[in-house]
Amino acid sequence: MKKIGVLALQGAVAEHMRSIAAAGGEPVAVKQTEQLDELDGLIIPGGESTTIGKLMRKYGFMEAIREFAAQGKPLFGTCAGLIVLAKRIEGQEEAHLGLMDMTVARNAFGRQRESFETDLPVKGIEDPVRAVFIRAPLIKEVSPEVDVLSVYKDEIVTARQGHLLVSSYHPELTDDYRLHAYFLKMAEEAAENR
Ligand SMILES: NC(=O)CC[C@H](N)C(=O)O
């Protein structure tokens, strides 16, 4: 069984742990960098990207997660986690981890549409996925290395670059575990190639 960490500094941690368990993985709440060694993949949850970024710096996670990614271990960022993984954030000088070659805009759906749910077709998953958007970011631009997995109203909301997966919505707030199952498969494949 693959061990999947959920970065437990702030945000929707318990929900991701439940979804990983339901998809057949072993979830681990990650509070210290030493825990990364035993993992096959790591989820960076939704929450507030500035807060998560600040806590990551404080507890030494920036370097540790970059090292984790350099070993080819997969990362999955949802909502704020997507912002944390991006190389470029609109209107902000500094990125956080800066790993995935894309530009993101925070809180991009505007006031009336701050929160909503929809059924979203995702490349590689058979039927549409139930997606919950909460003050969600959008992916404004991606490099050719990034594979766009879904688009909502002409905007990119799910994408993958090799071992990096991101969604601007919260797949962990529904009983639909297929995106977590997709990530588990990425972790299995990465472990075979290590
Ligand atoms: N639900 C979320 O994770 C919201 C993300 C938040 N708006 C941010 O900019 O970090």
Side-chain angles (χ1 to χ4, degrees):
M1 199 190 263
K2 291 288 165 264
K3 279 192 183 173
I4 304 293
V6 182
L7 189 64
L9 300 175
Q10 192 247 351
V13 176
E15 294 86 347
H16 271 299
M17 303 220 356
R18 182 202 58 142
S19 297
I20 281 296
E26 185 184 335
V28 180
V30 176
K31 295 194 167 157
Q32 285 165 337
T33 54
E34 296 73 42
Q35 292 175 276
L36 293 173
D37 292 339
E38 56 164 348
L39 301 179
D40 301 296
L42 178 70
I43 295 176
I44 304 178
E48 197 58 44
S49 55
T50 45
T51 307
I52 296 176
K54 219 176 275 169
L55 293 171
M56 284 172 72
R57 283 182 187 86
K58 183 168 170 190
Y59 294 110
F61 275 105
M62 287 298 175
E63 286 316 311
I65 294 178
R66 286 193 190 113
E67 174 59 30
F68 183 86
Q71 291 167 20
K73 291 186 174 180
L75 291 166
F76 180 15
T78 62
C79 204
L82 170 154
I83 300 168
V84 170
L85 279 174
K87 277 203 173 156
R88 294 169 296 279
I89 305 166
E90 264 186 14
Q92 248 170 255
E93 300 237 315
E94 250 190 290
H96 299 288
L97 283 168
L99 288 172
M100 191 153 162
D101 204 350
M102 60 183 177
T103 307
V104 301
R106 296 177 62 194
N107 304 323
F109 279 99
R111 269 179 170 262
Q112 295 89 355
R113 307 228 66 196
E114 273 201 339
S115 300
F116 59 96
E117 281 189 48
T118 188
D119 291 314
L120 190 70
V122 178
K123 191 170 141 188
I125 297 178
E126 206 162 325
D127 295 309
V129 164
R130 191 74 185 155
V132 181
F133 290 78
I134 304 169
R135 296 180 59 229
L138 283 178
I139 304 168
K140 287 303 204 188
E141 169 263 347
V142 294
S143 81
E145 286 78 55
V146 176
D147 197 8
V148 173
L149 302 185
S150 71
V151 168
Y152 176 76
K153 298 201 168 162
D154 293 333
E155 307 278 9
I156 303 170
V157 292
T158 322
R160 175 175 175 179
Q161 180 181 356
H163 61 306
L164 307 174
L165 177 69
V166 291
S167 70
S168 33
Y169 49 91
H170 292 262
E172 79 285 7
L173 297 183
T174 70
D175 290 335
D176 187 341
Y177 310 122
R178 289 172 300 154
L179 211 57
H180 289 84
Y182 181 101
F183 183 62
L184 264 179
K185 208 159 136 225
M186 283 172 61
E188 275 156 21
E189 284 164 8
E192 272 164 32
N193 295 326
R194 266 204 304 277

